[in-house]
Amino acid sequence: MKKVFISGCSSGIGKSLAYTYSKKGYIVGLGSRNMVALNLVKKECEEIGGCVFIYRLDVRDHKNCSLVASRFQLDAGGIDFVIANAGIGGHDNLFSGKSFEINNILKTNLLGMTNVLMPFIPFMKKERKGTLVCISSVAGFIPTPHHGGYSSSKVAIRMIFDSWRPTLKRFNIKTVTICPGFIDTPMVAGLGKSFPMKSSNQASQKFVEIIEKGTPTFIYPWPYRLLIWIYYITPKSLYNFLILKIFNKPISKKINNIEP
Ligand SMILES: NC(=O)c1ccc[n+]([C@@H]2O[C@H](COP(=O)([O-])OP(=O)(O)OC[C@H]3O[C@@H](n4cnc5c(N)ncnc54)[C@H](OP(=O)(O)O)[C@@H]3O)[C@@H](O)[C@H]2O)c1
C-alpha cells in the first residue's frame, strides 16, 4: 500500500485530499492542530475504508514536525508522498506598526513547508523514491494589496522546489508545486467569495492525479493561467491602479494567531 502524509487536514483542501487518498486505498497520515476536527476526518475516512493515522502538528514547530515524520514512517512502514498543505491566509496588518501578523503567515506558510518536508528527505534519498508536494497559490504569481506575506510565502515555496528539483531528481524524488486559484474552503472570505470557485473535492481529485503524474508546476483551474499571462504583460503602473480599485481592502479574514 502507498503511504501519504498531509499537513493541515482539519478542513478545506487537506481534508478533501485525506478522503481522496483514503478512497484510493492509501495509508494516510494527517497532521493539524485541531485534534477534535482531525478525529472527525479520521472517522469519515475510515467509514470509506481508509487506514488513517492522526497527529497533533504545528508546522511552525520544527521539532514537532520531525517527531511526527518519524512517527508516521514507523506507523505506516515508510513514505511515498508528503504534501505540505497547511497554510493560513490573513493580511499583513500593514499600518499596525507590528510585524506579528505578516511574520506568522511567513512562519506558517514558508517555514511550515520546510519543517514538514525536510525530515522525510533522508529516507526518500536512501530509498531512491518519493514525491514531495507543496500547495503554493496563484497569489505567488499575482500579488494583491495587503497580502504581501501570503503572496511572498507562496512564491518562496515554489522557488524552493524549482531549486531542489534537479538535485532531488537524481535520487528519483519528484517535486510537485500546486498553484490553486480561489477554492471554496473556510480560508476564502470577503471579496474572495464572489470569485467563481471549484470545490475542495473537485480540486483534490485533480491534485491527486497531478501528484501521481509528478507534474512539476500545476496551476488550477486553467483560466488562472490566462490571468497570470495577462498580469505579466500588463504595465505595472496600470496593474497597480486597477488592483487597488478591486482589492482596496484585505481579502481574507483575520486568522487565529496562537504561537506554538
Ligand atoms: N482555498 C483557496 O482558495 C486556496 C488558494 C490557493 C492556495 N491555497 C492553499 O491551500 C492550503 C490549504 O488551504 P485551505 O484553503 O484548505 O484552508 P483551510 O480550510 O483554512 O485549511 C488550512 C489547514 O491548515 C492547517 N493549519 C493552519 N495553520 C497550521 C499550523 N500552524 N500547523 C498545522 N496546521 C495548520 C489548518 O489546521 P489547524 O487549524 O487544525 O491546525 C487547516 O487544516 C493552504 O496552504 C493555502 O494557502 C488555498
Side-chain angles (χ1 to χ4, degrees):
M1 269 155 98
K2 291 258 167 73
K3 294 119 191 156
V4 59
F5 181 81
I6 311 163
S7 69
C9 304
S10 58
S11 68
I13 295 170
K15 182 173 162 181
S16 296
L17 284 168
Y19 292 148
T20 308
Y21 278 113
S22 294
K23 260 193 213 148
K24 286 175 80 76
Y26 280 57
I27 300 178
V28 182
L30 309 176
S32 265
R33 294 166 302 174
N34 183 342
M35 290 306 283
V36 177
L38 215 48
N39 265 301
L40 288 174
V41 176
K42 173 179 160 74
K43 202 165 155 256
E44 286 178 50
C45 289
E46 285 172 347
E47 279 165 13
I48 52 170
C51 171
V52 180
F53 297 94
I54 57 170
Y55 309 91
R56 186 185 301 280
L57 180 78
D58 190 321
V59 298
R60 295 167 296 183
D61 178 350
H62 71 95
K63 286 188 188 144
N64 179 202
C65 290
S66 289
L67 283 173
V68 167
S70 308
R71 188 65 208 278
F72 176 65
Q73 287 177 91
L74 282 176
D75 290 339
I79 187 73
D80 295 290
F81 298 88
V82 188
I83 306 178
N85 164 72
I88 53 173
H91 59 88
D92 302 337
N93 218 350
L94 189 56
F95 300 113
S96 65
K98 297 189 181 109
S99 55
F100 180 79
E101 266 86 3
I102 188 167
N103 285 356
N104 193 45
I105 294 166
L106 291 168
K107 265 191 218 164
T108 308
N109 296 0
L110 171 53
L111 306 189
M113 175 264 203
T114 53
N115 286 343
V116 166
L117 297 180
M118 295 205 76
F120 289 97
I121 295 177
F123 182 84
M124 287 185 169
K125 180 173 176 260
K126 200 164 124 230
E127 295 287 304
R128 297 188 86 85
K129 73 173 170 74
T131 301
L132 303 173
V133 182
C134 71
I135 309 294
S136 176
S137 172
V138 166
F141 294 95
I142 306 178
T144 51
H146 299 284
H147 296 276
Y150 186 78
S151 284
S152 60
S153 69
K154 297 302 182 181
V155 183
I157 61 174
R158 179 162 51 86
M159 196 56 80
I160 287 173
F161 268 13
D162 288 349
S163 154
W164 287 357
R165 191 165 290 120
T167 315
L168 291 179
K169 204 173 166 201
R170 289 172 54 212
F171 301 97
N172 197 26
I173 303 170
K174 292 178 187 140
T175 40
V176 176
T177 305
I178 304 227
C179 306
F182 284 115
I183 307 291
D184 194 3
T185 74
M187 180 182 282
V188 180
L191 186 59
K193 284 255 174 227
S194 53
F195 277 70
M197 285 189 282
K198 295 280 186 189
S199 72
S200 62
N201 283 340
Q202 286 173 306
S204 74
Q205 278 164 30
K206 190 67 194 170
F207 296 167
V208 168
E209 188 191 313
I210 289 299
I211 291 165
E212 281 177 356
K213 270 195 210 154
T215 305
T217 305
F218 181 66
I219 297 160
Y220 175 87
W222 72 264
Y224 283 98
R225 290 177 215 158
L226 189 64
L227 210 61
I228 291 167
W229 179 77
I230 292 170
Y231 166 73
Y232 278 113
I233 61 163
T234 304
K236 291 303 155 272
S237 52
L238 176 63
Y239 174 78
N240 289 344
F241 172 77
L242 293 174
I243 199 73
L244 258 192
K245 296 265 170 230
I246 308 168
F247 292 112
N248 59 350
K249 284 191 196 137
I251 310 169
S252 48
K253 60 191 171 194
K254 208 164 177 343
I255 35 91
N256 175 13
N257 274 328
I258 301 165
E259 281 287 352

